[in-house]
């Protein structure tokens, strides 16, 4: 036997699958579906690790874990949760959990984590725990965003340099700010510098400051961003646009922890955590000699890749509703989006990613005549933009199919959207299930929608996924 595991899980299906996987690897598993049962088992028996869900039959599984960690400091805890928010990930991290797995999780990865936990034993990192707070700026339950949340929790209690990669508008500064605000440097300053927005000849002065008379126009001494960020975090945005000379001085500062103002002779010690970000692919720049390879390795200690919005379509509804709440808090009329509107927003390309979606939602909140934003409102407010997007080559096949359907069924006056959607949605879902052998998780991923949305629509459309299980 490789170890005794306590599994606290009130979903019988998940408990059965996890137990079978662990027992196959030689672990003995005890199951409880409640906090009361958990505490009873812990008082009666030694366990080598505990796996616990967050939402249990009698309360929040995270509550009380700090006390358990005090009583059983050698027992690693792995947290499982369907409440897949950054707040939950932070709460899990604050307990000193060995690992956090958002549902649905990879079973093999979970088993490996249990093997590592029982072999290595978890230890708490030093420093005060972060306060999760409310209104955290990052929203998303997609697997891609869950990976981002997990990476954030891993860098909160250390000063490892982070490089955030992603297209414009994906939220790179939000991630940097979250790492600072939730981490052990939260009482220090957060200073952001956009390397692309500063003229090349001024960027060294901006970063390191300058002495009076260092150059024409330097009529006074100026404190640079490094000194301003002392004790906190310096966020270097668009690092790929930094000039070569500034890259050299930045590398020297990162290596030594000391800076020198432009025109100055004295070296100044600085204590800053560096978070950098770029929307550019640095590899060809390194090959071309326009970005220093040694600086890249210095910055790329912990890379965090932000997904474009087209790769997390299932998050669009939550993001849109989040932005409507933000808009209302900033004085715009309180609005809601109906389900059909969310579907329409999910079909847009969002080349500007989350930033474009936020601007669009704010525009809808301002321009809508009714409290509930429907598809007619979206079409009226964004009509031209929607028509342009709908005319791209990638939509030609759908347009042809729609025209063929209309030629048979006629033009449904006033109900074109609802009737055409109803006609195409059921065969589309059946096609996805047929392609995935009835696997609803994979079908949802293929369609780019949330699995719960798929399940709901399957019931409403009277589609039995089981009949596709042997179709492949």
């Amino acid at each position: 036997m490789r170890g005794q595991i306590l599994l606290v899980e009130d979903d019988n299906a998940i408990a059965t699958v996890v137990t079978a996987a662990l027992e196959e690897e030689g672990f003995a598993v005890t199951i409880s579906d409640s906090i009361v049962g958990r505490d009873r088992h812990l008082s009666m028996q030694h366990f080598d690790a505990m796996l616990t869900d967050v939402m249990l039959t009698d309360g929040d599984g995270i509550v009380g874990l700090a006390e358990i960690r005090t009583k059983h400091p050698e027992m690693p805890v792995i947290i499982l949760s369907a409440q897949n928010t950054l707040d939950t990930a932070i709460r899990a991290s604050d307990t000193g959990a060995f690992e956090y797995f958002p549902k649905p999780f990879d079973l093999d990865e979970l088993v490996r984590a249990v093997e590592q936990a029982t072999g290595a034993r978890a230890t708490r990192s030093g420093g005060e725990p972060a306060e999760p707070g409310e209104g955290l700026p990052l929203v998303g339950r997609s697997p891609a965003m869950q990976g981002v949340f997990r990476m954030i929790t891993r860098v909160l209690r250390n000063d490892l340099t982070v490089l955030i990669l992603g297209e414009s508008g994906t939220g790179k500064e939000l991630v940097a700010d979250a790492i600072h605000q939730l981490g052990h440097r939260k009482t220090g300053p957060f200073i952001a510098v956009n390397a692309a927005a500063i003229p090349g000849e001024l960027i060294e002065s901006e970063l390191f400051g300058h002495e009076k008379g260092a150059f024409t126009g330097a009529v006074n001494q100026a404190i640079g961003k490094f000194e301003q960020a002392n004790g906190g975090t310096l966020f270097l945005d668009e690092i790929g646009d930094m000039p070569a000379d500034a890259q050299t001085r930045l590398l020297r500062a990162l290596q030594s922890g000391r800076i020198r103002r432009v025109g100055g002779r004295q070296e100044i010690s600085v204590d800053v955590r560096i978070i950098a970000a770029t929307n550019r692919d640095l590899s060809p720049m390194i090959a071309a000699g326009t970005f220093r390879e040694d600086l890249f390795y210095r910055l790329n200690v912990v890379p965090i890749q932000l997904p474009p919005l087209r790769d997390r379509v299932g998050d669009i509804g939550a993001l849109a509703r989040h932005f409507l709440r933000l808009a209302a808090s900033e004085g715009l009329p309180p609005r809601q989006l109906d389900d059909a509107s969310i579907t329409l927003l999910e079909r847009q390309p969002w080349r500007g990613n989350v930033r474009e979606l936020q601007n669009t939602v704010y525009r809808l909140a301002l321009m809508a005549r009714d409290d509930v934003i429907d598809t007619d409102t979206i079409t009226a407010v964004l009509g031209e933009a929607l028509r342009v997007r709908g005319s791209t080559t990638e939509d030609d096949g759908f347009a042809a199919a729609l025209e063929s359907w209309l030629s048979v069924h006629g033009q449904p006056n006033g109900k074109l959207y609802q009737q055409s959607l109803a006609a195409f949605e059921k065969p589309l879902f059946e096609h996805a299930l047929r392609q995935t052998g009835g696997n609803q998780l994979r079908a949802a991923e293929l369609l780019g929608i949330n699995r719960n949305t798929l399940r709901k629509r399957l019931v409403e459309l009277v589609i039995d996924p089981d009949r596709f299980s042997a179709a492949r």
Side-chain angles (χ1 to χ4, degrees):
M1 184 183 69
R2 300 180 66 183
Q4 292 279 353
I5 307 298
L6 176 59
L7 173 59
V8 189
E9 173 60 70
D10 61 355
D11 187 315
N12 290 332
I14 293 177
T16 299
V17 170
V18 172
T19 298
L22 291 174
E23 289 180 343
E24 185 176 349
E25 296 300 321
F27 293 98
V29 181
T30 300
I31 302 174
S32 173
D33 65 356
S34 66
I35 295 172
V36 172
R38 174 197 71 186
D39 294 343
R40 183 176 65 253
H41 285 297
L42 288 172
S43 67
M44 297 170 56
Q45 182 180 348
H46 165 80
F47 292 96
D48 296 289
M50 180 173 75
L51 283 64
T52 180
D53 192 7
V54 174
M55 301 305 295
L56 298 167
T57 56
D58 55 352
D60 187 333
I62 291 182
V63 175
L65 283 187
E67 183 179 352
I68 289 174
R69 294 280 295 144
T70 300
K71 292 181 179 179
H72 308 275
E74 295 301 313
M75 182 183 68
V77 176
I78 295 174
I79 294 178
L80 316 173
S81 177
Q83 307 298 311
N84 302 339
T85 64
L86 178 56
D87 179 69
T88 304
I90 297 301
R91 291 179 64 216
S93 176
D94 288 344
T95 67
F98 182 84
E99 187 57 278
Y100 164 74
F101 283 90
K103 297 179 180 179
F105 47 79
D106 184 290
L107 192 58
D108 291 336
E109 188 178 350
L110 177 64
V111 172
R112 285 194 297 270
V114 173
E115 291 174 334
Q116 294 168 359
T118 54
R121 300 297 189 190
T123 56
R124 287 187 68 100
S125 301
E128 293 295 321
E131 297 176 4
E134 296 181 355
L136 294 171
L138 295 167
V139 175
R141 294 174 179 265
S142 62
M145 285 306 295
Q146 292 307 303
V148 171
F149 294 166
R150 291 175 67 187
M151 290 301 297
I152 289 174
T153 64
R154 289 174 176 175
V155 298
L156 295 182
R157 290 166 184 81
N158 55 63
D159 284 328
L160 295 176
T161 302
V162 177
L163 179 61
I164 306 171
L165 306 165
E167 297 177 7
S168 294
T170 49
K172 295 186 290 294
E173 185 165 356
L174 289 178
V175 171
D177 187 60
I179 292 171
H180 173 78
Q181 297 297 338
L182 299 169
H184 70 106
R185 285 181 176 263
K186 62 185 176 183
T187 57
F190 177 81
I191 304 296
V193 182
N194 188 328
I198 304 171
E201 65 273 14
L202 297 179
I203 194 165
E204 290 189 49
S205 173
E206 187 77 11
L207 289 176
F208 308 114
H210 63 255
E211 299 291 353
K212 180 179 179 180
F215 50 83
T216 302
V219 295
N220 294 301
Q221 182 191 73
I223 303 300
K225 300 300 185 184
F226 263 88
E227 289 184 78
Q228 294 175 33
N230 198 36
T233 302
L234 178 60
F235 175 50
L236 303 172
D237 198 7
E238 304 303 349
I239 193 70
D241 294 279
M242 180 171 284
D245 290 346
Q247 291 180 36
T248 301
R249 290 200 62 185
L250 173 61
L251 177 63
R252 189 179 303 121
L254 297 181
Q255 290 173 333
S256 66
R258 303 173 69 85
I259 59 105
R260 182 183 297 169
R261 299 183 190 129
V262 176
R265 297 182 178 179
Q266 179 185 2
E267 286 197 332
I268 303 167
S269 295
V270 288
D271 172 27
V272 297
R273 194 224 183 111
I274 300 294
I275 302 177
T278 182
N279 62 3
R280 304 181 67 173
D281 184 353
L282 296 180
S283 296
M285 297 178 63
I286 293 172
T290 57
F291 196 86
R292 292 187 62 125
E293 186 173 21
D294 46 4
L295 177 58
F296 171 75
Y297 290 128
R298 177 68 65 169
L299 295 173
N300 194 42
V301 178
V302 181
I304 297 179
Q305 180 73 52
L306 290 188
L309 194 52
R310 62 181 175 274
D311 289 346
R312 46 182 297 219
V313 174
D315 289 338
I316 288 176
L319 283 165
R321 292 186 172 107
H322 170 71
F323 291 140
L324 281 178
R325 291 191 293 269
L326 283 182
S329 72
E330 295 174 16
L332 291 174
R335 308 291 193 197
Q336 296 181 356
L337 284 158
D338 63 19
D339 291 341
S341 296
I342 294 295
T343 300
L344 183 56
L345 292 177
E346 288 175 341
R347 292 174 54 196
Q348 302 310 306
W350 302 117
R351 296 180 181 89
N353 292 298
V354 179
R355 184 185 295 121
E356 182 189 2
L357 176 63
Q358 180 174 9
N359 293 340
T360 298
V361 169
Y362 273 52
R363 184 176 168 193
L364 288 169
L366 176 66
M367 302 297 292
R369 295 180 180 274
D370 300 315
D371 291 340
V372 177
I373 299 173
D374 57 18
T375 56
D376 291 337
T377 301
I378 294 178
T379 303
V381 174
L382 307 176
E384 185 59 33
L386 292 176
R387 282 195 292 274
V388 169
R389 288 169 178 166
S391 66
T392 59
T393 302
E394 63 186 5
D395 288 335
D396 288 347
F398 176 80
L402 179 58
E403 288 179 9
S404 175
W405 182 81
L406 290 173
S407 68
V408 175
H409 295 84
Q411 188 82 278
N413 187 28
K415 296 182 179 180
L416 173 60
Y417 176 80
Q418 291 86 350
Q419 292 191 16
S420 59
L421 180 62
F424 279 92
E425 189 176 22
K426 185 169 184 177
L428 176 63
F429 283 6
E430 290 177 338
H431 172 75
L433 289 168
R434 191 174 296 110
Q435 291 297 309
T436 59
N439 186 307
Q440 295 182 52
L441 175 59
R442 290 172 56 198
E445 292 174 347
L446 177 64
L447 292 164
I449 62 175
N450 184 277
R451 183 172 60 172
N452 291 332
T453 300
L454 174 65
R455 287 176 172 172
K456 177 183 176 183
R457 295 300 294 145
L458 292 180
V459 172
E460 293 170 348
L461 295 168
V462 195
I463 300 175
D464 180 10
D466 291 338
R467 68 187 177 91
F468 298 93
S469 59
R472 299 191 72 185

